[in-house]
Amino acid sequence: MATVNLTVNGKAVRRDVPDTTLLSEFLREELRLTGTHVGCDTSQCGACVVHVDGKAVKSCTMLAAAAAGGEVTTVEGLANGGLHPMQQAFHDNHGLQCGFCTPGMIMSGVDMVNRYKDSGRELTEAAIRHELEGNICRCTGYHNIVKSIQDAATKM
């Protein structure tokens, strides 16, 4: 058993869990934060993306114990009294259909915008499409997802 102490969406959390508990499982089963979706368990689809210490991580391939001492933000933790600009942009630009990939797309989008702004690089459509290669959407064809990220980038 591992004792996992971390901050999730601004709240201190402590749980004893089996050593093999994945971060995605910890968030969904222990904390009931079901916005983190698990689509593949092999790090291929990106539906499980969360931020660990400010960086996008596929939580289905990270042990909960590896996040101990860190800060985790899930899609539920992005908003602070209202929708985060990325969440609002996905709503405004119809960046989803079934919604299964949406939490991972939103979390990846926030990370992408932050990294590009910090580096001073331009976040072009081509750059967004390249960055989204680790996220799979089976419904939308990505056009409105790209538009959503572009829109949010102007507001973040």
Side-chain angles (χ1 to χ4, degrees), residues 123-143:
L123 187 57
T124 63
E125 179 180 344
I128 293 169
R129 289 184 180 279
H130 176 74
E131 291 274 347
L132 288 177
E133 287 181 3
N135 295 72
I136 296 174
C137 176
R138 296 177 184 218
C139 301
T140 68
Y142 297 92
H143 301 298

Side-chain angles (χ1 to χ4, degrees), residues 13-144:
V13 174
R14 177 187 169 101
R15 297 282 195 287
D16 291 325
V17 296
D19 295 338
T20 58
T21 302
L22 296 171
L23 181 57
S24 57
E25 180 183 6
F26 181 81
L27 294 169
R28 291 182 59 80
E29 303 300 325
E30 291 292 323
L31 303 182
R32 298 293 184 220
L33 295 170
T34 57
T36 301
H37 293 168
V38 178
C40 67
D41 281 328
T42 59
S43 191
Q44 300 298 311
C45 75
C48 68
V49 173
V50 299
H51 296 172
V52 177
D53 296 328
K55 298 191 182 330
V57 171
K58 291 183 178 178
S59 64
C60 76
T61 56
M62 181 178 198
L63 294 173
E71 288 196 30
V72 176
T73 304
T74 68
V75 71
E76 294 95 338
L78 275 184
N80 189 9
L83 292 179
H84 183 278
M86 188 66 70
Q87 292 168 315
Q88 187 65 52
F90 267 73
H91 176 268
D92 294 346
N93 294 283
H94 310 288
L96 60 107
Q97 282 186 17
C98 82
F100 192 82
C101 71
T102 306
M105 292 287 187
I106 287 171
M107 298 305 286
S108 294
V110 169
D111 177 70
M112 182 188 319
V113 170
N114 289 338
R115 283 186 293 107
Y116 273 74
K117 284 193 177 202
D118 288 347
S119 72
R121 294 180 292 163
E122 181 183 359
L123 187 57
T124 63
E125 179 180 344
I128 293 169
R129 289 184 180 279
H130 176 74
E131 291 274 347
L132 288 177
E133 287 181 3
N135 295 72
I136 296 174
C137 176
R138 296 177 184 218
C139 301
T140 68
Y142 297 92
H143 301 298
N144 289 345

